[in-house]
Amino acid sequence: SSSRLVTSEEGGVTRVGFVDRNILEEAFIQRIGDEISALVDEAANPKILLNFENVEHLSSAALGTLITVNNKVRQKGGQLRLCSIDKQLYEVFRITKLDKLFQIHDNEPSALGSFK
């Protein structure tokens, strides 16, 4: 069961990239949710950057998982940023009003610079 995520640390921020272009399968979504939740649980003050540059499709279940992760991060007083979301994918965030819930940045440098 290899990881579906590529993670790295940068200046106190945990950067998370995705292996899969299409995050649609229930089992994958579950695993991704668990992996990100574990990162949040490990950190005293979680600063998580989710980079979507490889991702083309997310299912509504995947969006639900992102909301859960966001809530976890908030409960711990942490910060969550999303970046590099494809135009078509961004439409989904806009339609579902998740562009208001999440702090979304065009690119990684902008997202990294926004952490306090």
Side-chain angles (χ1 to χ4, degrees), residues 6 8 18 20 43-44 48 62 91 94 103 112:
V6 183
S8 59
F18 299 90
D20 305 288
I48 310 278
E91 269 306 287
R94 216 177 51 73
Q103 285 201 34
L112 285 170

Side-chain angles (χ1 to χ4, degrees), residues 29-71:
I29 294 163
Q30 186 71 48
R31 191 183 303 165
I32 286 168
D34 291 347
E35 286 192 41
I36 298 173
S37 292
L39 292 172
V40 174
D41 291 340
E42 281 164 21
N45 175 22
K47 294 180 181 182
I48 310 278
L49 170 59
L50 302 180
N51 184 320
F52 287 88
E53 65 191 351
N54 280 330
V55 180
E56 284 172 13
H57 299 105
L58 287 174
S59 69
S60 53
L63 293 172
T65 296
L66 291 178
I67 295 169
T68 304
V69 166
N70 188 50
N71 292 338

